[in-house]
Amino acid sequence: MAQDDPQNGEDPSTEWAENRTDWAEDRTIMALERTFAGWMRTAFAAIAIGIGFNALFGEFEPPWLARAIASGFIALAIVFALGAQRRATRAFDRLSSHSVETPDLPRIKLIAYAISAGAALLIAALWLLDDGPA
């Protein structure tokens, strides 16, 4: 058949193999985007757990205990965000896209740093803001 004939002396199976490899790399890029988004959701969940713990157990005795546990969860969010950013940027540097658009690395860094800075400010606010007489 005509479509099975080699064009320009190339084996059609080689072209299909190259296409499949390109598509696999594009799928990997999209999977990395989803994984990064998942880690950012996990960071937000850790922040929410920290805030919730502090609100729910704010009347703990000693009073610093609820803040310390909440701060631990919020600090964990910083670890999640920065770790995900580091892994994502390394992986995106190794891959080259073919049919999909690779996300902007500065934007990924901005998202992770903004979440981390917000979490750090939240930790500071937990400890610096006065709840009234202790």
Side-chain angles (χ1 to χ4, degrees):
M1 295 178 61
Q3 68 264 23
D4 293 333
D5 293 338
Q7 297 173 352
N8 300 331
E10 285 187 24
D11 184 13
S13 62
T14 303
E15 183 180 346
W16 274 104
E18 289 174 1
N19 284 339
R20 283 192 301 270
T21 302
D22 292 347
W23 295 332
E25 203 165 23
D26 286 348
R27 284 192 305 274
T28 303
I29 288 172
M30 292 185 290
L32 285 169
E33 287 179 286
R34 289 189 303 273
T35 303
F36 177 76
W39 279 108
M40 294 303 103
R41 285 189 299 272
T42 304
F44 279 122
I47 291 170
I49 289 170
I51 292 171
F53 190 89
N54 188 58
L56 188 60
F57 299 107
E59 301 301 320
F60 247 26
E61 285 299 326
W64 57 266
L65 186 58
R67 287 181 184 169
I69 295 170
S71 296
F73 277 105
I74 297 169
L76 195 59
I78 295 171
V79 171
F80 289 157
L82 294 179
Q85 175 267 320
R86 197 181 95 233
R87 284 188 304 273
T89 53
R90 271 203 226 147
F92 284 130
D93 282 341
R94 286 191 311 263
L95 297 172
S96 59
S97 70
H98 304 278
S99 298
V100 299
E101 195 171 313
T102 305
D104 296 330
L105 295 184
R107 187 171 295 152
I108 285 179
K109 290 180 180 181
L110 177 67
I111 291 168
Y113 292 152
I115 291 171
S116 299
L121 287 172
L122 186 57
I123 291 172
L126 281 176
W127 288 96
L128 297 177
L129 292 180
D130 188 18
D131 288 352

